[in-house]
Amino acid sequence: MSASLAPECNDVKERYDTCFLKWYSEKYLRGSDRENQDCAELFKNYQSCLKVALNERGINKLVEEAREDNKDNDVRLLSPPKK
């Protein structure tokens, strides 16, 4: 499995990845479970860890600035096609 974007999140990412791969191969691919509730809490933990790490590095601010700079493109490209 690949390392996390933030090394301090590697352990929680590994737990989530392991859970996800198990769910995907044992449930999703066999059609028995379309929503991964088994790993939801682990995913939330990983997201929280990443959020803290990205905030500490100032990356979230850069992402938000890029989104703001491109919001007109987002509206244009993500809008439903005109009929």
Side-chain angles (χ1 to χ4, degrees), residues 5-56:
L5 294 171
E8 60 268 38
C9 300
N10 281 346
D11 289 341
V12 69
K13 180 185 184 301
E14 185 176 335
R15 287 192 299 274
Y16 169 70
D17 285 349
T18 299
C19 182
F20 177 85
L21 291 173
K22 181 177 180 185
W23 166 81
Y24 186 76
S25 63
E26 294 178 5
K27 294 183 180 178
Y28 182 81
L29 289 178
R30 296 176 186 194
S32 66
D33 187 7
R34 293 291 175 197
E35 293 188 30
N36 186 354
Q37 296 302 314
D38 297 349
C39 307
E41 191 63 32
L42 291 171
F43 185 66
K44 286 179 187 176
N45 292 342
Y46 180 48
Q47 281 183 311
S48 295
C49 184
L50 277 180
K51 186 176 181 179
V52 169
L54 296 177
N55 278 333
E56 288 174 354

Side-chain angles (χ1 to χ4, degrees), residues 63-75:
V63 170
E64 289 304 318
E65 288 172 1
R67 284 184 180 145
E68 183 64 29
D69 291 346
N70 290 287
K71 70 180 176 183
D72 292 337
N73 288 334
D74 288 347
V75 168

